[in-house]
Amino acid sequence: MKKLLLSIVTTLLLFSPSFAANVEILPTMQSKTNVQDRVWVGTFQIVWNDFIDKIVHNIVKFPAGTPEIATELNKQEFTVDELSEKCYYRYVGRIQKNTKRTISKAIKRKFGETSDLLDKLDLTPSKYRFIVYSMLKKDFEFTNPFDKLGVSEFRDGQAEYFGIKEDSNKDMRNGVKVLFYNSPEDFAVVLDTNNKDQVYLYKTPTTKAFNYIYSDMLKKQQAYEGETEFKNEDQLKVPNLKFFEEKSFDELCGKRIKGTNLAIDQALETVQFEMDNTGVKLKSEAAMTVAKMSLEYNDPRMFFFDDTFVLFLKEKGKNKPYFALRVHDISKFQ
């Protein structure tokens, strides 16, 4: 039986939104979408922060209008201060012949990982082109492995589950804390792990942005006056999760950044996530390649109209041409 593919990652996991064809990667926790299954990781925000701090030295705006995604990223509401240094890697610099090798060796040395992203980037060396890159890697186990519960219903389909049943070992109950239990459709728990990471699980049908849902969960926790200990008669049932997604933030690309002669060429993020009865594995990469739009060339410039081109004729001092020609099949003109 294939494992269920869902969009649940980092500190907020949603049990019950309806399924979509894909899991959408969002750039910020504030991002809104109509896609039911969505995921956010701080990796792209880390890249954006470094882009602001080390290349642009200002918030990013576009002369023709700044898209909402850039406005949200400019707020820098997530930074590496929220992470242990051991779980992320960052790189900012000009694209050189050894750039790919430098990054690849670094993530191999730090995480024992290879990149899913670098081969998708245009890393043609140039003193006018830059790369901003980040990898976030988490791999941790639950305090005590949970029981495998087999396959049962999940909304309109089937899913493999893990958790705690009536006759489960009592030790695994110590790894679960109840945040609140208002009804069988409105509750949240925290799963402890063997390090500082915690897994929050909140059952809710809301489709609002992640930042709202997280805040709502904490408010309900503060208002809850019931039992927070996971009692002997309590049971837990969580679906196994496993997915890989990739996103290109095309709305950020190809536009000159206000106050600079820079433009973003590529803006990519990947998310690989897995959770089962033993723990969680997360690997996420993000990168942007950036180029100067107007370059000073020392080499001869080859203005060869040897492919399709357009020709206009206009009188000097007049505003509009009086003749236009598009040349595609040269045999028609010679």
Side-chain angles (χ1 to χ4, degrees), residues 20-241:
N22 293 101
V23 180
E24 182 177 2
I25 298 177
L26 301 180
T28 72
M29 277 191 72
Q30 296 78 27
S31 301
K32 297 177 181 179
T33 178
N34 293 324
V35 177
Q36 291 279 20
D37 298 297
R38 76 287 293 262
V39 60
W40 170 78
V41 194
T43 326
F44 191 76
Q45 183 71 69
I46 293 172
V47 164
W48 192 264
N49 294 348
D50 283 343
F51 181 52
I52 288 177
D53 298 339
K54 300 180 181 181
I55 295 183
V56 181
H57 305 293
N58 205 342
I59 62 172
V60 177
K61 293 185 177 181
F62 302 99
T66 303
E68 184 178 353
I69 174 179
T71 301
E72 292 296 337
L73 288 164
N74 284 337
K75 296 176 182 178
Q76 297 182 277
E77 295 195 4
F78 177 84
T79 71
V80 292
D81 292 337
E82 305 295 335
L83 293 167
S84 302
E85 191 277 334
K86 66 181 181 180
C87 74
Y88 65 85
Y89 168 79
R90 300 147 75 193
Y91 181 92
V92 182
R94 282 188 172 87
I95 299 177
Q96 301 176 343
K97 289 183 179 180
N98 64 344
T99 295
K100 180 180 177 181
R101 184 169 67 252
T102 298
I103 296 174
S104 297
K105 288 177 67 175
I107 60 176
K108 186 68 175 180
R109 182 170 57 250
K110 186 164 187 174
F111 303 123
E113 287 287 352
T114 57
S115 174
D116 299 310
L117 197 59
L118 291 176
D119 286 339
K120 303 177 186 296
L121 300 173
D122 179 3
L123 297 180
T124 304
S126 170
K127 64 180 180 179
Y128 303 107
R129 303 185 68 245
F130 306 87
I131 181 173
V132 190
Y133 172 89
S134 178
M135 175 181 279
L136 191 158
K137 181 73 167 63
K138 287 281 189 179
D139 191 346
F140 52 83
E141 297 177 347
F142 294 124
T143 305
N144 293 288
F146 293 100
D147 286 338
K148 295 180 180 180
L149 303 182
V151 177
S152 59
E153 294 291 328
F154 185 97
R155 298 193 72 251
D156 299 328
Q158 296 280 310
E160 254 185 78
Y161 287 89
F162 68 86
I164 300 174
K165 49 191 178 180
E166 289 184 77
D167 59 350
S168 292
N169 190 308
K170 293 184 178 181
D171 289 341
M172 65 181 67
R173 299 177 186 275
N174 297 329
V176 183
K177 178 185 176 183
V178 177
L179 296 183
F180 59 87
Y181 187 89
N182 296 326
S183 76
E185 302 302 324
D186 182 23
F187 59 83
V189 299
V190 179
L191 309 183
D192 286 333
T193 69
N194 58 3
N195 56 21
K196 294 181 179 180
D197 296 282
Q198 293 181 305
V199 178
Y200 285 75
L201 299 165
Y202 175 21
K203 187 175 185 180
T204 174
T206 184
T207 58
K208 293 186 177 181
F210 281 139
N211 64 324
Y212 172 89
I213 299 173
Y214 186 74
S215 176
D216 179 59
M217 180 183 70
L218 296 183
K219 287 178 182 178
K220 288 182 179 180
Q221 178 190 9
Q222 292 175 354
Y224 185 62
E225 297 180 352
E227 178 63 63
T228 58
E229 181 182 352
F230 198 85
K231 298 181 293 185
N232 289 337
E233 61 269 24
D234 293 334
Q235 297 184 42
L236 176 72
K237 184 179 177 183
V238 183
N240 290 352
L241 308 174

Side-chain angles (χ1 to χ4, degrees), residues 317-334:
K318 302 298 183 180
N319 293 324
K320 296 181 180 180
Y322 63 86
F323 176 88
L325 172 68
R326 181 179 185 271
V327 178
H328 179 71
D329 183 353
I330 197 64
S331 67
K332 296 178 180 179
F333 299 91
Q334 295 186 354

